[in-house]
Amino acid sequence: EAGVAQSPRYKIIEKRQSVAFWCNPISGHATLYWYQQILGQGPKLLIQFQNNGVVDDSQLPKDRFSAERLKGVDSTLKIQPAKLEDSAVYLCASSLTGVPYEQYFGPGTRLTVT
Amino acid sequence: AQSVTQPDIHITVSEGASLELRCNYSYGATPYLFWYVQSPGQGLQLLLKYFSGDTLVQGIKGFEAEFKRSQSSFNLRKPSVHWSDAAEHFCAVGPRARNTDKLIFGTGTRLQVFP
């Protein structure tokens, strides 16, 4: 069974530029999560989708971050414009509906904002 | 406020030695409890979890953890560490609620293993 796929794996941009990350969850997983992991900290949930609807986006900085999951499968997380403090690893995870706390994580995208 | 504390930022042990990583939580009620491992360049992998029942839980790779309600702790242990255990280890909690599985992570403990 293929795992959660993310791309790109690494990205370096200058502040005020835009960036997008892509995630393809495990086949059949209706729930998808985006986490931000700043160096030296644990992951923090940014947004959770159930199919193509948002379940929780309470910690998403909506002035610059956006995410979509249009067809209920893969998802895109965008930052526009980026700030230095956005430098982090962005992790995507997925799970089956009705099976709480069984999240499978992708390898992450490491973003460096200079 | 809900929080998870991992007081040890970095731990170094010799291969074959025993290991204990500490985790304390602050929560309104006893949450679900988890330990994850993250190897360099890899995503998080679930080592073990505690939902209810026996307070000593067994996980993958020979790890175990003990839930102590009186101490609000969920320490991770392994009797004999292998070089492949070198990684970042995260403790996490989640609410016992039907409509959410939101995880709150600690800051992690980096485990280094010497041959």
Side-chain angles (χ1 to χ4, degrees), chain A residues 26-49:
Chain A
I26 293 173
S27 177
H29 282 195
T31 306
L32 185 147
Y33 315 75
W34 282 103
Y35 288 85
Q36 180 192 56
Q37 185 179 13
I38 294 172
L39 185 65
Q41 300 181 18
K44 181 184 77 172
L45 180 68
L46 291 177
I47 188 168
Q48 177 180 347
F49 291 96

Side-chain angles (χ1 to χ4, degrees), chain B residues 1 4 12 15 18 23-24 27 30-31 47 51 53 58 62 68 71 79 86 91 94:
Chain B
V4 179
T12 301
E15 191 170 18
S18 63
C23 173
N24 293 91
Y27 216 82
T30 301
L47 284 176
F51 280 11
Q58 303 297 320
K68 293 185 177 180
Q71 299 176 19
C91 181

